[in-house]
């Protein structure tokens, strides 16, 4: 009996998939089809798969060509499947020519001619109008956003706005996008506004974008007081628009995995969270000279408070701050301590003091530890009383990570508010409230 294996996502099942399976089956007597999991697709950068794994498997089964369907979860799986199922022929479409030649040592590799003019990507784009992404601001973060957006299907970078038209023009030329001299023209030309401008301008731009009926993704910290955050979320809801705060850790797959394990009971009940993030900045940097909005807590506080709010919730009993300031009064290093009914947390961040960046979640049965850069979670460990018992988890974190929040935002356009679980509006409002409390204790006014 000749055993054949093939793999694919099989999203929005189409004629190309059907013909591929038909011809794969004709290569032998028994066909095994590997269907990718959503998590695997995300780690290999294939975002925005529309059909669920169950639907995709059902569609493959419905063709009647597959004798067996398995799921594909990891990059090295093809090799082990070939051994495990005693495969004679591995086959995929001709778009992969050459890429699986390394399997020739173990079985025959056949590239089947791909069906022309059809793909899941094409269908996904047809089923939803391409979203036009507009960027406000032309700084470092905005620079990082452009290549990330291009990796997400269903969205295109349309243009940029900056009141300093020269900067907008330079940015637009570099990335071959449009720039707009008038804010109104910019809002008219886009569907989603990415606010990557200085902190103090966030509120005004978000409000204006929502007024123009545009969805918004705003860089963290979105705003620095609770009432403004509540008002903006309320307004977005009223207008039926999506407002996302871009704390990238919240959307990264490794962090979701870590939260899932932390909340699964593996380490018992969570009692203590410690998170530290430091990043030394030059004395003359904006972060250390902007007397109203600079300093380590406004810059990095969103990252370190995120795990606390996710694991303990937004209803802390009290929060207190300890700070080391530079000569200009800005905080170089800050610790925020939280007390919850059944637990406590201590988060530290610094721009002028270097420390070990670490996330530690302690429970009644064990603890989870993730080393820096845990805010781009790629690896973490679970430890127990017995020091020899350690579980290790890893997950890919691709590029700058912005692709994850953008792809979630696109999913929210279909699913509405139900999809905001990775960073809820309550959590985002609580973050603004914590920033506000911190700044109220400082010698500065916002
Ligand atoms: N395939 C094919 N002809 C097409 C599209 C896909 O023969 N027109 C084959 C692929 O080469 C692969 C299998 O079908 O062997 C599953 O491919 P998959 O990646 O799921 O489909 P695509 O339509 O290429 O998906 P996407 O656009 O998301 O890459």
């Amino acid at each position: 009996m000749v055993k054949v294996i093939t793999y694919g996502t099989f999203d929005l099942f189409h004629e190309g998939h059907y013909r591929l399976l038909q011809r794969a089956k004709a290569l032998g007597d028994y066909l095994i089809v590997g269907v990718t999991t959503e998590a695997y697709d995300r780690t290999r950068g294939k975002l925005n798969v529309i059909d669920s794994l169950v639907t995709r498997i059902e569609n493959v089964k419905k063709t009647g060509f597959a004798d067996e369907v398995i799921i594909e979860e990891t990059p090295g799986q093809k090799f082990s499947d070939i051994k495990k199922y005693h495969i004679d022929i591995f086959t995929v479409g001709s778009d992969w020519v050459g890429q699986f030649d390394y399997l020739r040592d173990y079985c025959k590799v056949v590239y089947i001619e791909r069906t022309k003019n059809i793909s899941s990507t094409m269908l996904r784009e047809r089923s939803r109008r391409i979203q036009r992404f507009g960027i406000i601001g032309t700084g470092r973060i905005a620079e990082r956003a452009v290549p990330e957006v291009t990796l997400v299907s269903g969205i295109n970078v349309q243009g940029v706005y900056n009141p300093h038209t020269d900067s907008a023009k330079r940015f637009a030329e570099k990335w071959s996008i449009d720039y707009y001299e008038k804010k109104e023209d910019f809002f008219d030309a886009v569907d989603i506004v990415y606010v990557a401008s200085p902190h103090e301008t966030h509120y005004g731009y978000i409000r204006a974008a929502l007024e123009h009926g545009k969805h918004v993704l705003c860089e963290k910290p979105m705003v620095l007081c609770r009432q403004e955050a509540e008002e903006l979320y309320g307004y977005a809801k009223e207008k039926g628009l999506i407002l996302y705060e871009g704390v990238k850790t919240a959307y990264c797959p490794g962090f979701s995995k870590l939260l899932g394990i932390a909340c699964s009971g593996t380490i018992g009940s969570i009692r203590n969270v410690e998170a530290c993030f430091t990043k030394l900045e030059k004395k003359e940097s904006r972060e250390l000279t902007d007397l109203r909005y600079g300093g380590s807590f406004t810059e990095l506080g969103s990252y370190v408070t995120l795990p606390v709010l996710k694991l303990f919730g937004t209803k802390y009993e009290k929060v207190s701050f300890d700070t080391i300031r530079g000569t200009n009064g800005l905080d170089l290093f800050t610790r925020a301590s939280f007390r919850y009914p059944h637990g406590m947390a201590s988060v530290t961040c610094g721009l002028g003091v270097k420390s070990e960046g670490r996330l530690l979640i302690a429970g009644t049965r064990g603890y989870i530890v993730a080393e820096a850069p845990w805010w781009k979670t790629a690896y973490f460990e679970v430890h127990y009383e017995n020091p020899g018992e350690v579980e290790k988890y890893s997950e890919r974190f691709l590029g700058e990570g912005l692709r994850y929040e953008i792809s979630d935002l696109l999913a929210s356009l279909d699913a509405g508010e139900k999809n905001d679980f990775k960073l809820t509006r309550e959590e985002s409002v609580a973050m603004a409230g914590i920033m506000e409390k911190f700044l109220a204790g400082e010698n500065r006014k916002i």
Side-chain angles (χ1 to χ4, degrees):
M1 183 167 76
V2 177
K3 283 182 115 180
V4 183
I5 197 161
T6 189
Y7 296 86
T9 305
F10 303 103
D11 189 28
L12 303 177
F13 201 88
H14 56 69
E15 190 201 341
H17 295 142
Y18 185 88
R19 297 187 53 196
L20 181 284
L21 295 178
Q22 187 177 34
R23 283 173 291 167
K25 171 76 179 178
L27 290 174
D29 309 303
Y30 190 87
L31 176 65
I32 300 178
V33 182
V35 180
T36 54
T37 62
E38 190 182 293
Y40 177 48
D41 274 327
R42 286 176 78 92
T43 59
R44 64 195 188 117
K46 192 164 181 169
L47 307 169
N48 286 356
V49 171
I50 292 179
D51 286 340
S52 68
L53 177 60
V54 173
T55 306
R56 290 181 288 119
I57 290 176
E58 270 168 10
N59 287 336
V60 167
K61 281 188 177 160
K62 264 190 230 154
T63 63
F65 298 127
D67 296 287
E68 194 173 337
V69 177
I70 59 171
I71 59 168
E72 186 183 21
E73 293 178 284
T74 53
Q77 194 183 317
K78 291 189 177 73
F79 164 76
S80 52
D81 285 345
I82 287 168
K83 293 270 169 218
K84 181 171 164 189
Y85 297 105
H86 307 288
I87 297 300
D88 301 292
I89 301 173
F90 168 90
T91 185
V92 275
S94 52
D95 43 326
W96 295 98
V97 166
Q99 297 203 44
F100 293 103
D101 287 357
Y102 68 93
L103 295 172
R104 289 218 151 104
D105 289 343
Y106 315 102
C107 66
K108 197 170 157 191
V109 174
V110 178
Y111 298 104
I112 294 178
E113 186 64 34
R114 188 180 160 90
T115 308
K116 298 210 167 42
N117 301 324
I118 180 100
S119 73
S120 305
T121 306
M122 255 170 73
L123 296 178
R124 279 194 290 266
E125 289 177 358
R126 216 181 282 161
S127 70
R128 187 164 60 199
R129 191 170 62 77
I130 304 270
Q131 296 294 315
R132 297 163 303 169
F133 190 78
I135 303 175
I136 299 185
T138 50
R140 254 181 308 152
I141 308 251
E143 289 276 351
R144 287 185 207 163
V146 185
E148 289 279 321
V149 177
T150 53
L151 291 165
V152 182
S153 61
I155 185 162
N156 247 339
V157 183
Q158 173 71 30
V160 65
Y161 173 77
N162 184 332
H164 307 293
T165 312
D166 284 349
S167 305
K169 194 171 170 206
R170 239 177 290 126
F171 190 93
E173 274 164 11
K174 175 170 177 192
W175 296 104
S176 306
I177 56 174
D178 294 338
Y179 73 96
Y180 301 86
E181 293 189 16
K182 291 199 194 109
K183 221 185 330 181
E184 302 300 311
D185 295 342
F186 167 79
F187 285 131
D188 285 345
V190 304
D191 304 300
I192 297 169
V193 173
Y194 175 49
V195 181
S197 52
H199 299 164
E200 65 271 28
T201 62
H202 286 183
Y203 174 85
Y205 281 134
I206 297 172
R207 181 93 209 170
L210 295 172
E211 269 161 19
H212 285 81
K214 308 299 166 180
H215 305 289
V216 179
L217 169 64
C218 180
E219 265 308 318
K220 55 87 210 157
M222 186 174 84
V223 284
L224 299 172
C225 82
R226 194 185 170 93
Q227 184 252 322
E228 282 184 359
E230 272 170 351
E231 182 204 310
L232 291 172
Y233 280 115
Y235 189 49
K237 189 170 183 177
E238 199 181 295
K239 306 257 303 178
L241 295 165
I242 305 289
L243 170 58
Y244 259 37
E245 179 173 8
V247 183
K248 69 169 176 264
T249 312
Y251 306 94
C252 100
F255 187 69
S256 297
K257 190 185 238 179
L258 182 148
L259 290 180
I261 288 172
C263 298
S264 70
T266 307
I267 59 165
S269 304
I270 299 164
R271 293 287 182 252
N272 185 40
V273 176
E274 287 169 32
C276 176
F277 186 165
T278 64
K279 181 170 109 196
L280 289 183
E281 287 289 353
K282 294 204 177 75
K283 273 206 178 70
E284 60 283 7
S285 67
R286 181 208 38 92
E287 290 85 347
L288 287 178
T289 51
D290 178 348
L291 295 183
R292 289 178 83 189
Y293 301 94
S296 58
F297 199 68
T298 45
E299 194 58 28
L300 302 173
S302 316
Y303 291 115
V304 290
T305 52
L306 175 73
V308 178
L309 297 172
K310 295 294 315 175
L311 293 164
F312 285 145
T314 54
K315 298 200 165 42
Y316 49 86
E317 289 172 341
K318 61 175 193 209
V319 58
S320 59
F321 302 93
D322 246 328
T323 279
I324 294 170
R325 285 188 205 157
T327 45
N328 64 6
L330 283 183
D331 68 308
L332 298 174
F333 191 68
T334 288
R335 168 176 296 118
S337 306
F338 295 84
R339 182 70 225 193
Y340 281 84
H342 302 291
M344 56 196 198
S346 163
V347 302
T348 41
C349 46
L351 296 175
V353 174
K354 191 69 198 163
S355 185
E356 190 183 358
R358 200 167 60 145
L359 171 62
L360 181 72
I361 301 165
T364 50
R365 292 192 54 229
Y367 65 91
I368 297 178
V369 63
E371 303 296 343
W374 61 264
W375 47 93
K376 300 179 183 178
T377 325
Y379 178 76
F380 60 92
E381 293 180 354
V382 182
H383 291 247
Y384 300 93
E385 179 61 20
N386 170 2
E389 194 186 338
V390 180
E391 288 154 13
K392 301 175 179 185
Y393 293 89
S394 57
E395 189 68 67
R396 284 174 79 190
F397 179 88
L398 297 171
E400 296 292 335
L402 215 85
R403 64 193 71 179
Y404 302 116
E405 61 199 70
I406 292 166
S407 116
D408 277 350
L409 195 148
L410 287 188
S412 287
L413 296 188
D414 296 328
E417 311 167 19
K418 295 192 292 299
N419 199 50
D420 83 341
F421 65 94
K422 290 198 182 146
L423 181 63
T424 65
R425 49 185 70 181
E426 288 73 29
E427 288 158 356
S428 172
V429 166
M431 271 182 192
I434 294 165
M435 294 282 170
E436 184 178 3
K437 285 198 169 105
F438 169 72
L439 291 170
E442 288 277 279
N443 294 333
R444 51 185 166 158
K445 239 167 108 31
I446 61 157

